[in-house]
């Protein structure tokens, strides 16, 4: 089933704003063109198509701790196969050194973790109707959810470093187990389980949560956003673990508590082979907690109170990937690959060498880049590039008005039972692999939309064309930076699939064997994948090969 996100329809005001931005950009380029010399007249506008090399990089051992959001569930991608995502998280009391009163008795223990949802209307009684924003797979399928006490200590600092660096945990998705790497060893969380606190078949619901307090005339019902809300079954465990520790050092501060109670393990399994659903949860939400409801006091004056724990501290996703529908190729870095595989949740990415890798004269600069610099920069009588001593920039003989990567999805992907809109809300996030940062074009893109990531940064990172499956990645300023400031080693772009292009935090790659040392973490919190046409000459559909197109102006 397609991802349940509602696309933002651009208002007329917003469209006018975009038009004015483009117009201003055009005006700026014309003004810049006027100072290029040669009579300040008779300018030619033309198009360059640059030969690039685009190839695959399989992602292994990617940082999975302290993500902004976490995936939970089972998802069968029609082009790749099955991804299972579980969560291990520390928990922390919201208050310390509690006084539970006289003869406290637990009434219930409830876990609440909000989904990402959008209010889409009201019902006949005036109550808000919601849809879930990040639900993947079959929403009618059950998954098996087990919640265990976790007995593995998630430490904050890496003891193998001399500068107290933060401890990172890395994915181990090919192991077939809910495991992680810490840089020196492998942790299988099934080897560190404590008490079983819940086991049930489960599926997320977009229904609002209704909480009732009081009885009779004092009864009050409150409604809150949809959430994973379950009652834990073992009150005795929580009485022994929490209530009976009043006045003990375990409940006196966060460090003591995290060493004593090392957190929870949310383990997910499929109930039907090849079927299930997977969803995004917000453990960082102020409304994500474990609420222990208890009654205490003298016999004739019992009162109900709540002791809460939140999910602050270390938390991580574990992934198990069974990619039984695709085989990732050995990358061809010279000519590029025929197909490019973008897959989230420790999957695969594409690397684009903007000027290829061919270097016939062995001067550590690709031939295509040398030709590009000679075509666009002014040279003196000796053939050396001319630099403006005032600005420190090179003087140009061609002005780039627009440059973008033109990318096409392979629309022959077998979708199985998924509908034609399956890839409708996919976005391709492009980043500068040298600096592990968004491109300059992304940084100056004014179309950021904090409320709807699908409609954010649509100038630098286009939305997918629903008819042709085309994406455009704008690199105008990125190339200008190479031309003007000699950033010639900044010629590699990474491409990942993302459903939240606003999330620009990096996730480190453990022991990377090339110069790609990190990926945008947004590529980890989507289980989705797509396949693109590549750059290899053997690519069958020549018209849809990935290409770099440059629209430029030069004096005639």
């Amino acid at each position: 089933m397609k991802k349940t996100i509602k696309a933002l329809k651009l208002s007329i005001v917003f469209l006018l704003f975009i038009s004015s931005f483009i117009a201003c950009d055009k005006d700026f380029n014309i003004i810049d063109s006027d100072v290029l010399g040669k009579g300040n007249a008779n300018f030619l506008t033309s198009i360059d198509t640059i030969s690039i090399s685009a190839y695959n990089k399989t992602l292994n051992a990617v940082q999975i701790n302290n993500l902004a959001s976490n995936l939970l569930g089972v998802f069968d991608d029609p082009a790749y196969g099955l991804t299972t995502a579980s969560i291990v998280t520390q928990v922390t009391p919201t208050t310390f050194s509690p006084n539970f009163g006289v003869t406290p008795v637990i009434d219930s223990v409830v876990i609440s973790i909000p989904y990402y949802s959008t209010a889409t209307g009201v019902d006949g009684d005036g109550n808000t109707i919601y849809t879930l924003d990040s639900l993947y797979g079959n929403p009618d399928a059950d998954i098996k959810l087990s919640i265990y006490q976790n007995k593995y200590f998630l430490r904050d600092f890496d003891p193998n470093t001399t500068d107290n660096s933060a401890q990172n945990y890395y994915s181990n998705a090919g192991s077939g187990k809910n495991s992680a790497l810490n840089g020196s060893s492998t942790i299988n969380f099934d080897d560190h389980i404590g008490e079983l606190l819940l086991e049930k078949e489960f599926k997320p619901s977009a229904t609002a949560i209704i909480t009732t307090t009081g009885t009779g005339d004092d009864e009050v019902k409150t409604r809150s956003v949809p959430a994973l809300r379950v009652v834990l079954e073992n009150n005795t465990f929580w009485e022994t673990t929490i209530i009976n520790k009043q006045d003990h050092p375990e409940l006196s501060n966060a460090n003591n508590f995290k060493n004593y109670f090392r957190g929870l393990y949310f383990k997910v399994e499929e109930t039907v082979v090849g079927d299930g659903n997977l969803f995004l949860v917000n453990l960082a939400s102020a409304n994500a907690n474990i609420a222990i409801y208890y009654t205490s006091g003298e016999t004739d004056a019992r009162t109900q109170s709540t002791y809460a724990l939140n999910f602050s501290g270390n938390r991580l996703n574990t992934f198990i990937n069974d990619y039984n529908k695709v085989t990732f190729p050995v990358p061809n870095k010279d000519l590029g690959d025929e197909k490019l595989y973008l897959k989230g949740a420790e999957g695969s990415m594409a690397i684009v060498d903007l000027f290829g890798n061919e270097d016939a004269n062995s001067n550590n600069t690709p031939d295509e880049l040398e030709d590009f610099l000679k075509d666009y920069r002014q040279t003196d009588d000796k053939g050396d590039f001319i630099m403006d001593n005032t600005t420190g920039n090179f003087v140009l003989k061609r002005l780039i008005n627009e440059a973008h990567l033109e990318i096409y999805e392979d629309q022959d992907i077998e979708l199985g039972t998924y509908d034609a809109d399956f890839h409708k809300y996919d976005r391709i996030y492009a980043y500068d692999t040298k600096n592990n940062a968004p491109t300059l074009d992304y940084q100056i893109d004014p179309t950021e939309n904090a409320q709807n990531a699908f409609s954010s940064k649509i100038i630098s990172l286009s939305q997918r064309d629903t008819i042709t499956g085309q994406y455009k990645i704008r690199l105008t300023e990125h190339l200008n930076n190479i031309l003007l400031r000699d950033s010639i080693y900044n010629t590699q772009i990474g491409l990942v699939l993302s459903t939240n292009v606003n999330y620009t935090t990096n996730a480190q790659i453990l022991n990377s064997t090339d110069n790609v040392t990190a990926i945008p973490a947004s590529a980890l919190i989507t289980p989705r994948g797509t396949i693109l046409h590549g750059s290899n000459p053997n690519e069958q559909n020549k018209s849809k090969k990935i290409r770099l197109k440059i629209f430029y102006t030069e004096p005639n």
Side-chain angles (χ1 to χ4, degrees), residues 523-534:
L524 280 171
I525 59 175
T526 177
R528 294 175 61 81
T530 192
I531 301 174
L532 311 172
H533 292 281

Side-chain angles (χ1 to χ4, degrees), residues 354-355 369 372-373 377 394 440 477-492:
L354 294 175
F355 302 96
L369 176 56
F372 172 71
L373 297 177
R377 289 177 179 171
F394 288 99
L440 289 175
E477 297 309 318
H478 188 85
L479 292 185
N480 278 330
N481 192 49
I482 291 173
L483 287 172
L484 293 170
R485 301 174 186 90
D486 211 14
S487 302
I488 62 172
Y489 300 108
N490 196 12
T491 60
Q492 192 179 82

Side-chain angles (χ1 to χ4, degrees), residues 283-337:
L283 287 165
S285 168
N287 296 319
N289 59 48
I290 305 169
I292 302 174
Y293 298 99
Y294 66 95
T295 304
S296 63
E298 301 296 340
T299 304
D300 57 349
R302 304 281 288 176
T303 59
Q304 189 179 68
S305 304
T306 305
Y307 190 68
L309 306 96
N310 61 29
F311 299 99
S312 61
N314 255 320
R315 57 181 179 271
L316 58 86
N317 255 127
T318 65
F319 300 116
I320 300 174
N321 289 333
D322 180 13
Y323 293 152
N324 55 10
K325 301 176 184 178
V326 67
T327 300
F328 295 128
V330 176
N332 185 336
K333 296 184 179 181
D334 292 326
L335 299 177
D337 293 328

Side-chain angles (χ1 to χ4, degrees), residues 28 149 258 383 432 515 550:
F28 172 81
Q149 177 190 12
K258 288 176 182 178
D432 171 359
N515 59 350
I550 301 175

Side-chain angles (χ1 to χ4, degrees), residues 422-442:
F422 180 74
H423 290 285
K424 181 177 180 179
Y425 298 105
D426 289 348
R427 302 287 300 277
I428 293 179
Y429 183 101
Y431 73 107
D432 171 359
T433 60
K434 180 175 182 287
N435 297 301
N436 290 325
T439 64
L440 289 175
D441 295 84
Y442 177 102

